[in-house]
Amino acid sequence: DIQMTQSPSLLSASVGDRVTLSCKASQNIYKYLNWYQQKLGEAPKLLIYYTNSLQTGIPSRFSGSGSGTDYTLTISSLQPEDVATYFCQQYNSWLTFGSGTKLEIK
Amino acid sequence: QVQLQQSGAELVKPGSSVKISCKASGYTFTSYDMHWIKQQPGNGLEWIGWIYPGNGNTKYNQKFNGKATLTADKSSSTAYMQLSSLTSEDSAVYFCARGTTAYFDYWGQGVMVTVSS
């Protein structure tokens, strides 16, 4: 199984900050990587698919990048409504998720 | 609009089975995979498997072989997951999610299953 490791597990930042969340795969996943946002008590929401494609309706402050084993989700200007846990998910070999990064406002 | 409406919370006894449902609307039910995902409190997400309602084909995470059984009723646009031989390790929130073999674009609200005597 491909293991997905997210860092940090907890991130505290200020409104307006540029925020970067990391996701590392245990082997090359050839950009087959998605990002989800889960707010407290809600289902996850798809943000980014295939590393850098923005899902319809998602604000443009969210972007994704990466290749090989290392991937990044960037929020260009953190907003209060971005408080959530963010999960990466690979689909190169079956489907596995990272353990999540909890993002809070400082 | 696409909606996935899941059944209500379940409290079940160890060793028993439970069947939860996911009613789809707003799209052609038989044209998309339906996935099931497990989330334990404070934990991450675990993919269980998928069913393609168009032909009933299924694919399971090996870890859930024998634990989960996925079915779909085309007449009512409803997908089902049955979990058997329940233990405390099966206590979790279970989501259905429309998707492809790559990603999950619409999710149900989740069903909390609690296994307790």
CSV table of all heavy atoms in Angstrom, one decimal, chain A residues 28-78:
chain,number,residue,atom,x,y,z
A,28,ASN,N,6.5,7.0,-5.8
A,28,ASN,CA,6.1,7.9,-6.9
A,28,ASN,C,4.6,7.7,-7.2
A,28,ASN,O,4.2,6.5,-7.5
A,28,ASN,CB,6.9,7.7,-8.1
A,28,ASN,CG,6.7,8.8,-9.2
A,28,ASN,OD1,5.7,9.5,-9.2
A,28,ASN,ND2,7.7,8.9,-10.1
A,29,ILE,N,3.8,8.7,-7.2
A,29,ILE,CA,2.4,8.6,-7.5
A,29,ILE,C,2.0,9.4,-8.7
A,29,ILE,O,0.8,9.6,-9.0
A,29,ILE,CB,1.4,9.0,-6.3
A,29,ILE,CG1,1.7,10.4,-5.8
A,29,ILE,CG2,1.6,8.0,-5.1
A,29,ILE,CD1,0.7,11.0,-4.8
A,30,TYR,N,3.0,9.9,-9.5
A,30,TYR,CA,2.8,10.4,-10.8
A,30,TYR,C,1.7,11.5,-10.9
A,30,TYR,O,0.9,11.5,-11.9
A,30,TYR,CB,2.5,9.2,-11.8
A,30,TYR,CG,3.6,8.2,-11.8
A,30,TYR,CD1,3.4,7.0,-11.0
A,30,TYR,CD2,4.7,8.4,-12.5
A,30,TYR,CE1,4.4,6.1,-11.0
A,30,TYR,CE2,5.8,7.5,-12.5
A,30,TYR,CZ,5.6,6.3,-11.7
A,30,TYR,OH,6.6,5.4,-11.7
A,31,LYS,N,1.6,12.3,-9.9
A,31,LYS,CA,0.6,13.4,-9.8
A,31,LYS,C,-0.8,13.0,-9.6
A,31,LYS,O,-1.7,13.8,-9.7
A,31,LYS,CB,0.7,14.3,-11.0
A,31,LYS,CG,2.1,15.0,-11.2
A,31,LYS,CD,2.0,16.1,-12.3
A,31,LYS,CE,3.3,16.9,-12.3
A,31,LYS,NZ,3.2,18.0,-13.3
A,32,TYR,N,-1.0,11.7,-9.3
A,32,TYR,CA,-2.4,11.2,-9.0
A,32,TYR,C,-2.8,11.5,-7.6
A,32,TYR,O,-2.8,10.6,-6.7
A,32,TYR,CB,-2.5,9.7,-9.4
A,32,TYR,CG,-2.3,9.4,-10.8
A,32,TYR,CD1,-1.4,8.4,-11.2
A,32,TYR,CD2,-3.0,10.1,-11.8
A,32,TYR,CE1,-1.2,8.1,-12.5
A,32,TYR,CE2,-2.8,9.8,-13.1
A,32,TYR,CZ,-1.9,8.8,-13.5
A,32,TYR,OH,-1.7,8.5,-14.8
A,33,LEU,N,-3.0,12.8,-7.3
A,33,LEU,CA,-3.1,13.3,-6.0
A,33,LEU,C,-4.3,14.3,-5.9
A,33,LEU,O,-4.3,15.2,-6.7
A,33,LEU,CB,-1.8,13.9,-5.6
A,33,LEU,CG,-1.5,14.4,-4.1
A,33,LEU,CD1,-2.2,15.7,-3.7
A,33,LEU,CD2,-1.9,13.3,-3.1
A,34,ASN,N,-5.1,14.1,-4.9
A,34,ASN,CA,-6.2,15.1,-4.7
A,34,ASN,C,-6.2,15.7,-3.3
A,34,ASN,O,-5.5,15.1,-2.4
A,34,ASN,CB,-7.6,14.3,-4.8
A,34,ASN,CG,-7.7,13.6,-6.1
A,34,ASN,OD1,-7.3,14.1,-7.2
A,34,ASN,ND2,-8.2,12.4,-6.1
A,35,TRP,N,-6.8,16.8,-3.1
A,35,TRP,CA,-6.9,17.4,-1.8
A,35,TRP,C,-8.4,17.7,-1.4
A,35,TRP,O,-9.2,18.0,-2.3
A,35,TRP,CB,-6.2,18.8,-1.8
A,35,TRP,CG,-4.7,18.7,-1.9
A,35,TRP,CD1,-3.9,18.8,-3.0
A,35,TRP,CD2,-3.8,18.6,-0.8
A,35,TRP,NE1,-2.6,18.7,-2.7
A,35,TRP,CE2,-2.5,18.6,-1.3
A,35,TRP,CE3,-3.9,18.5,0.6
A,35,TRP,CZ2,-1.4,18.5,-0.5
A,35,TRP,CZ3,-2.8,18.4,1.4
A,35,TRP,CH2,-1.5,18.4,0.8
A,36,TYR,N,-8.7,17.4,-0.1
A,36,TYR,CA,-10.0,17.6,0.4
A,36,TYR,C,-10.0,18.5,1.6
A,36,TYR,O,-9.0,18.5,2.4
A,36,TYR,CB,-10.7,16.3,0.8
A,36,TYR,CG,-10.8,15.3,-0.4
A,36,TYR,CD1,-9.8,14.5,-0.7
A,36,TYR,CD2,-12.0,15.2,-1.1
A,36,TYR,CE1,-9.9,13.6,-1.8
A,36,TYR,CE2,-12.2,14.4,-2.1
A,36,TYR,CZ,-11.1,13.6,-2.5
A,36,TYR,OH,-11.3,12.7,-3.5
A,37,GLN,N,-11.0,19.2,1.8
A,37,GLN,CA,-11.2,20.1,3.0
A,37,GLN,C,-12.4,19.5,3.8
A,37,GLN,O,-13.4,19.2,3.3
A,37,GLN,CB,-11.5,21.5,2.6
A,37,GLN,CG,-11.8,22.5,3.8
A,37,GLN,CD,-12.5,23.7,3.2
A,37,GLN,OE1,-13.6,23.7,2.7
A,37,GLN,NE2,-11.8,24.8,3.4
A,38,GLN,N,-12.1,19.3,5.1
A,38,GLN,CA,-13.2,18.8,6.0
A,38,GLN,C,-13.4,19.8,7.2
A,38,GLN,O,-12.5,19.9,8.0
A,38,GLN,CB,-13.0,17.4,6.5
A,38,GLN,CG,-14.2,16.8,7.3
A,38,GLN,CD,-14.0,15.4,7.7
A,38,GLN,OE1,-12.9,15.0,8.0
A,38,GLN,NE2,-15.1,14.7,7.8
A,39,LYS,N,-14.5,20.5,7.2
A,39,LYS,CA,-14.9,21.3,8.3
A,39,LYS,C,-15.5,20.5,9.4
A,39,LYS,O,-16.1,19.4,9.1
A,39,LYS,CB,-15.8,22.5,7.9
A,39,LYS,CG,-15.1,23.4,6.9
A,39,LYS,CD,-15.9,24.6,6.5
A,39,LYS,CE,-15.1,25.5,5.6
A,39,LYS,NZ,-15.9,26.7,5.1
A,40,LEU,N,-15.5,20.9,10.6
A,40,LEU,CA,-16.0,20.2,11.8
A,40,LEU,C,-17.4,19.8,11.6
A,40,LEU,O,-18.3,20.6,11.3
A,40,LEU,CB,-15.8,21.0,13.1
A,40,LEU,CG,-15.9,20.3,14.4
A,40,LEU,CD1,-14.8,19.3,14.5
A,40,LEU,CD2,-15.9,21.3,15.6
A,41,GLY,N,-17.7,18.5,11.7
A,41,GLY,CA,-19.0,18.0,11.6
A,41,GLY,C,-19.6,17.9,10.2
A,41,GLY,O,-20.8,17.6,10.1
A,42,GLU,N,-18.7,18.1,9.2
A,42,GLU,CA,-19.2,18.0,7.8
A,42,GLU,C,-18.5,16.9,7.1
A,42,GLU,O,-17.4,16.3,7.6
A,42,GLU,CB,-19.0,19.3,7.1
A,42,GLU,CG,-19.8,20.5,7.7
A,42,GLU,CD,-19.6,21.8,7.0
A,42,GLU,OE1,-18.9,21.8,5.9
A,42,GLU,OE2,-20.1,22.8,7.4
A,43,ALA,N,-19.0,16.6,5.9
A,43,ALA,CA,-18.3,15.7,5.0
A,43,ALA,C,-17.1,16.4,4.4
A,43,ALA,O,-17.1,17.6,4.2
A,43,ALA,CB,-19.2,15.1,4.0
A,44,PRO,N,-16.1,15.6,3.9
A,44,PRO,CA,-15.0,16.3,3.2
A,44,PRO,C,-15.6,16.9,1.9
A,44,PRO,O,-16.6,16.4,1.3
A,44,PRO,CB,-14.1,15.1,2.9
A,44,PRO,CG,-14.3,14.1,4.0
A,44,PRO,CD,-15.8,14.2,4.2
A,45,LYS,N,-14.8,17.9,1.4
A,45,LYS,CA,-15.1,18.5,0.1
A,45,LYS,C,-13.9,18.5,-0.8
A,45,LYS,O,-12.8,18.8,-0.3
A,45,LYS,CB,-15.6,20.0,0.3
A,45,LYS,CG,-15.9,20.8,-0.9
A,45,LYS,CD,-15.9,22.3,-0.7
A,45,LYS,CE,-17.0,22.7,0.2
A,45,LYS,NZ,-17.1,24.2,0.3
A,46,LEU,N,-14.1,18.1,-2.1
A,46,LEU,CA,-13.0,18.1,-3.0
A,46,LEU,C,-12.6,19.5,-3.4
A,46,LEU,O,-13.4,20.3,-3.8
A,46,LEU,CB,-13.4,17.3,-4.3
A,46,LEU,CG,-12.4,17.2,-5.4
A,46,LEU,CD1,-11.2,16.4,-5.0
A,46,LEU,CD2,-13.0,16.6,-6.6
A,47,LEU,N,-11.3,19.8,-3.2
A,47,LEU,CA,-10.7,21.1,-3.5
A,47,LEU,C,-9.9,21.0,-4.8
A,47,LEU,O,-10.1,21.9,-5.7
A,47,LEU,CB,-9.8,21.6,-2.4
A,47,LEU,CG,-10.3,21.8,-1.0
A,47,LEU,CD1,-9.1,22.2,-0.1
A,47,LEU,CD2,-11.4,22.9,-1.0
A,48,ILE,N,-9.0,20.1,-4.9
A,48,ILE,CA,-8.0,20.0,-6.0
A,48,ILE,C,-8.0,18.5,-6.4
A,48,ILE,O,-7.9,17.6,-5.6
A,48,ILE,CB,-6.6,20.4,-5.5
A,48,ILE,CG1,-6.6,21.8,-4.9
A,48,ILE,CG2,-5.6,20.2,-6.6
A,48,ILE,CD1,-6.5,22.9,-5.9
A,49,TYR,N,-7.9,18.3,-7.8
A,49,TYR,CA,-7.7,17.0,-8.3
A,49,TYR,C,-6.6,17.0,-9.3
A,49,TYR,O,-6.2,18.0,-9.8
A,49,TYR,CB,-9.0,16.4,-8.9
A,49,TYR,CG,-9.6,17.2,-10.1
A,49,TYR,CD1,-9.2,16.9,-11.4
A,49,TYR,CD2,-10.4,18.3,-9.9
A,49,TYR,CE1,-9.7,17.6,-12.4
A,49,TYR,CE2,-10.9,19.0,-10.9
A,49,TYR,CZ,-10.6,18.6,-12.2
A,49,TYR,OH,-11.1,19.4,-13.3
A,50,TYR,N,-6.0,15.8,-9.4
A,50,TYR,CA,-4.8,15.6,-10.3
A,50,TYR,C,-3.8,16.7,-10.0
A,50,TYR,O,-3.3,17.4,-10.9
A,50,TYR,CB,-5.2,15.6,-11.7
A,50,TYR,CG,-4.1,15.1,-12.6
A,50,TYR,CD1,-3.4,13.9,-12.4
A,50,TYR,CD2,-3.6,15.9,-13.7
A,50,TYR,CE1,-2.4,13.4,-13.2
A,50,TYR,CE2,-2.6,15.4,-14.5
A,50,TYR,CZ,-2.0,14.2,-14.2
A,50,TYR,OH,-0.9,13.8,-15.0
A,51,THR,N,-3.4,16.8,-8.7
A,51,THR,CA,-2.3,17.7,-8.2
A,51,THR,C,-2.7,19.2,-8.3
A,51,THR,O,-2.4,19.9,-7.3
A,51,THR,CB,-1.0,17.4,-9.0
A,51,THR,OG1,-0.6,16.1,-8.7
A,51,THR,CG2,0.1,18.4,-8.6
A,52,ASN,N,-3.2,19.7,-9.4
A,52,ASN,CA,-3.3,21.2,-9.5
A,52,ASN,C,-4.6,21.7,-10.2
A,52,ASN,O,-4.7,22.8,-10.6
A,52,ASN,CB,-2.1,21.7,-10.3
A,52,ASN,CG,-1.9,21.1,-11.6
A,52,ASN,OD1,-2.8,20.5,-12.2
A,52,ASN,ND2,-0.7,21.3,-12.2
A,53,SER,N,-5.6,20.8,-10.4
A,53,SER,CA,-6.8,21.2,-11.1
A,53,SER,C,-7.8,21.6,-10.0
A,53,SER,O,-8.2,20.8,-9.1
A,53,SER,CB,-7.4,20.1,-11.9
A,53,SER,OG,-6.5,19.8,-13.0
A,54,LEU,N,-8.3,22.8,-10.1
A,54,LEU,CA,-9.2,23.4,-9.1
A,54,LEU,C,-10.6,22.9,-9.4
A,54,LEU,O,-11.1,23.0,-10.5
A,54,LEU,CB,-9.2,24.9,-9.1
A,54,LEU,CG,-9.8,25.7,-8.0
A,54,LEU,CD1,-9.0,25.4,-6.7
A,54,LEU,CD2,-9.8,27.1,-8.3
A,55,GLN,N,-11.3,22.3,-8.4
A,55,GLN,CA,-12.6,21.8,-8.5
A,55,GLN,C,-13.6,23.0,-8.7
A,55,GLN,O,-13.3,24.1,-8.1
A,55,GLN,CB,-13.1,21.0,-7.3
A,55,GLN,CG,-14.5,20.5,-7.2
A,55,GLN,CD,-14.9,19.5,-8.3
A,55,GLN,OE1,-14.2,19.3,-9.2
A,55,GLN,NE2,-16.1,18.9,-8.1
A,56,THR,N,-14.6,22.8,-9.5
A,56,THR,CA,-15.6,23.9,-9.7
A,56,THR,C,-16.1,24.4,-8.4
A,56,THR,O,-16.5,23.7,-7.5
A,56,THR,CB,-16.8,23.3,-10.6
A,56,THR,OG1,-16.3,22.7,-11.8
A,56,THR,CG2,-17.8,24.4,-10.9
A,57,GLY,N,-16.1,25.8,-8.4
A,57,GLY,CA,-16.7,26.4,-7.2
A,57,GLY,C,-15.7,26.7,-6.1
A,57,GLY,O,-16.1,27.4,-5.1
A,58,ILE,N,-14.5,26.2,-6.2
A,58,ILE,CA,-13.5,26.4,-5.1
A,58,ILE,C,-12.8,27.7,-5.4
A,58,ILE,O,-12.3,28.0,-6.5
A,58,ILE,CB,-12.5,25.2,-5.1
A,58,ILE,CG1,-13.3,23.9,-4.8
A,58,ILE,CG2,-11.4,25.4,-4.0
A,58,ILE,CD1,-14.1,23.9,-3.6
A,59,PRO,N,-12.6,28.5,-4.3
A,59,PRO,CA,-11.9,29.8,-4.5
A,59,PRO,C,-10.5,29.7,-5.1
A,59,PRO,O,-9.8,28.7,-4.7
A,59,PRO,CB,-11.9,30.4,-3.1
A,59,PRO,CG,-13.0,29.7,-2.4
A,59,PRO,CD,-13.1,28.4,-3.0
A,60,SER,N,-10.1,30.7,-5.9
A,60,SER,CA,-8.8,30.6,-6.5
A,60,SER,C,-7.7,30.8,-5.6
A,60,SER,O,-6.5,30.7,-6.0
A,60,SER,CB,-8.8,31.7,-7.6
A,60,SER,OG,-9.0,33.0,-7.1
A,61,ARG,N,-7.9,31.1,-4.3
A,61,ARG,CA,-6.8,31.2,-3.4
A,61,ARG,C,-6.2,29.8,-3.0
A,61,ARG,O,-5.1,29.8,-2.5
A,61,ARG,CB,-7.2,31.9,-2.1
A,61,ARG,CG,-8.3,31.2,-1.2
A,61,ARG,CD,-8.6,32.0,0.0
A,61,ARG,NE,-9.6,31.4,0.8
A,61,ARG,CZ,-10.9,31.5,0.7
A,61,ARG,NH1,-11.4,32.3,-0.3
A,61,ARG,NH2,-11.8,30.9,1.5
A,62,PHE,N,-6.9,28.8,-3.4
A,62,PHE,CA,-6.4,27.4,-3.2
A,62,PHE,C,-5.7,27.0,-4.5
A,62,PHE,O,-6.2,27.2,-5.6
A,62,PHE,CB,-7.6,26.4,-2.9
A,62,PHE,CG,-8.2,26.6,-1.6
A,62,PHE,CD1,-9.4,27.4,-1.5
A,62,PHE,CD2,-7.7,26.0,-0.5
A,62,PHE,CE1,-10.0,27.6,-0.3
A,62,PHE,CE2,-8.3,26.2,0.8
A,62,PHE,CZ,-9.5,27.0,0.9
A,63,SER,N,-4.5,26.4,-4.3
A,63,SER,CA,-3.8,25.9,-5.4
A,63,SER,C,-3.0,24.7,-5.0
A,63,SER,O,-2.7,24.5,-3.8
A,63,SER,CB,-2.9,26.9,-6.1
A,63,SER,OG,-1.9,27.3,-5.1
A,64,GLY,N,-2.7,23.8,-6.0
A,64,GLY,CA,-1.9,22.6,-5.7
A,64,GLY,C,-0.7,22.5,-6.6
A,64,GLY,O,-0.7,23.0,-7.7
A,65,SER,N,0.3,21.8,-6.1
A,65,SER,CA,1.5,21.6,-7.0
A,65,SER,C,2.2,20.3,-6.5
A,65,SER,O,1.9,19.8,-5.4
A,65,SER,CB,2.5,22.8,-6.9
A,65,SER,OG,2.9,23.0,-5.6
A,66,GLY,N,3.2,19.9,-7.3
A,66,GLY,CA,4.0,18.8,-6.9
A,66,GLY,C,4.2,17.8,-8.0
A,66,GLY,O,3.7,17.9,-9.1
A,67,SER,N,5.0,16.8,-7.7
A,67,SER,CA,5.3,15.7,-8.6
A,67,SER,C,6.1,14.6,-7.8
A,67,SER,O,6.5,14.9,-6.7
A,67,SER,CB,6.2,16.2,-9.8
A,67,SER,OG,7.4,16.7,-9.3
A,68,GLY,N,6.2,13.5,-8.4
A,68,GLY,CA,6.9,12.4,-7.8
A,68,GLY,C,6.2,12.0,-6.5
A,68,GLY,O,5.1,11.4,-6.5
A,69,THR,N,7.0,12.2,-5.4
A,69,THR,CA,6.4,11.8,-4.1
A,69,THR,C,6.0,13.0,-3.2
A,69,THR,O,5.4,12.8,-2.2
A,69,THR,CB,7.5,11.0,-3.3
A,69,THR,OG1,8.7,11.9,-3.1
A,69,THR,CG2,7.9,9.8,-4.0
A,70,ASP,N,6.3,14.2,-3.7
A,70,ASP,CA,6.1,15.4,-2.8
A,70,ASP,C,5.0,16.4,-3.4
A,70,ASP,O,5.2,16.8,-4.6
A,70,ASP,CB,7.4,16.2,-2.6
A,70,ASP,CG,8.4,15.3,-1.8
A,70,ASP,OD1,8.0,14.8,-0.7
A,70,ASP,OD2,9.5,15.1,-2.3
A,71,TYR,N,4.0,16.7,-2.6
A,71,TYR,CA,2.9,17.5,-3.1
A,71,TYR,C,2.6,18.6,-2.0
A,71,TYR,O,2.8,18.4,-0.8
A,71,TYR,CB,1.7,16.7,-3.4
A,71,TYR,CG,2.0,15.7,-4.5
A,71,TYR,CD1,2.7,14.5,-4.2
A,71,TYR,CD2,1.8,16.0,-5.8
A,71,TYR,CE1,3.0,13.6,-5.2
A,71,TYR,CE2,2.1,15.1,-6.8
A,71,TYR,CZ,2.7,14.0,-6.5
A,71,TYR,OH,3.1,13.1,-7.6
A,72,THR,N,2.0,19.7,-2.5
A,72,THR,CA,1.7,20.9,-1.7
A,72,THR,C,0.4,21.5,-2.0
A,72,THR,O,0.0,21.6,-3.2
A,72,THR,CB,2.8,21.9,-1.9
A,72,THR,OG1,4.1,21.4,-1.5
A,72,THR,CG2,2.5,23.2,-1.1
A,73,LEU,N,-0.4,21.8,-1.0
A,73,LEU,CA,-1.6,22.6,-1.1
A,73,LEU,C,-1.2,24.0,-0.5
A,73,LEU,O,-0.7,24.1,0.6
A,73,LEU,CB,-2.7,22.0,-0.3
A,73,LEU,CG,-4.0,22.8,-0.3
A,73,LEU,CD1,-4.7,22.9,-1.6
A,73,LEU,CD2,-5.0,22.2,0.8
A,74,THR,N,-1.5,25.0,-1.3
A,74,THR,CA,-1.2,26.4,-0.9
A,74,THR,C,-2.5,27.2,-0.8
A,74,THR,O,-3.4,27.1,-1.7
A,74,THR,CB,-0.2,27.1,-1.8
A,74,THR,OG1,1.0,26.3,-1.8
A,74,THR,CG2,0.0,28.5,-1.4
A,75,ILE,N,-2.7,27.9,0.3
A,75,ILE,CA,-3.8,28.9,0.4
A,75,ILE,C,-3.1,30.3,0.3
A,75,ILE,O,-2.2,30.6,1.2
A,75,ILE,CB,-4.6,28.8,1.7
A,75,ILE,CG1,-5.1,27.3,1.8
A,75,ILE,CG2,-5.7,29.7,1.7
A,75,ILE,CD1,-5.7,27.0,3.2
A,76,SER,N,-3.4,31.1,-0.7
A,76,SER,CA,-2.6,32.3,-0.9
A,76,SER,C,-2.8,33.4,0.1
A,76,SER,O,-1.9,34.1,0.5
A,76,SER,CB,-2.9,32.8,-2.3
A,76,SER,OG,-4.2,33.1,-2.4
A,77,SER,N,-4.1,33.4,0.7
A,77,SER,CA,-4.4,34.4,1.7
A,77,SER,C,-5.5,33.8,2.6
A,77,SER,O,-6.6,33.7,2.2
A,77,SER,CB,-4.9,35.7,1.0
A,77,SER,OG,-5.3,36.6,2.0
A,78,LEU,N,-5.0,33.3,3.7
A,78,LEU,CA,-5.9,32.6,4.6
A,78,LEU,C,-7.1,33.4,5.1
A,78,LEU,O,-7.0,34.5,5.5
A,78,LEU,CB,-5.1,32.1,5.9
A,78,LEU,CG,-5.8,31.2,6.8
A,78,LEU,CD1,-6.1,29.9,6.2
A,78,LEU,CD2,-4.9,31.0,8.1
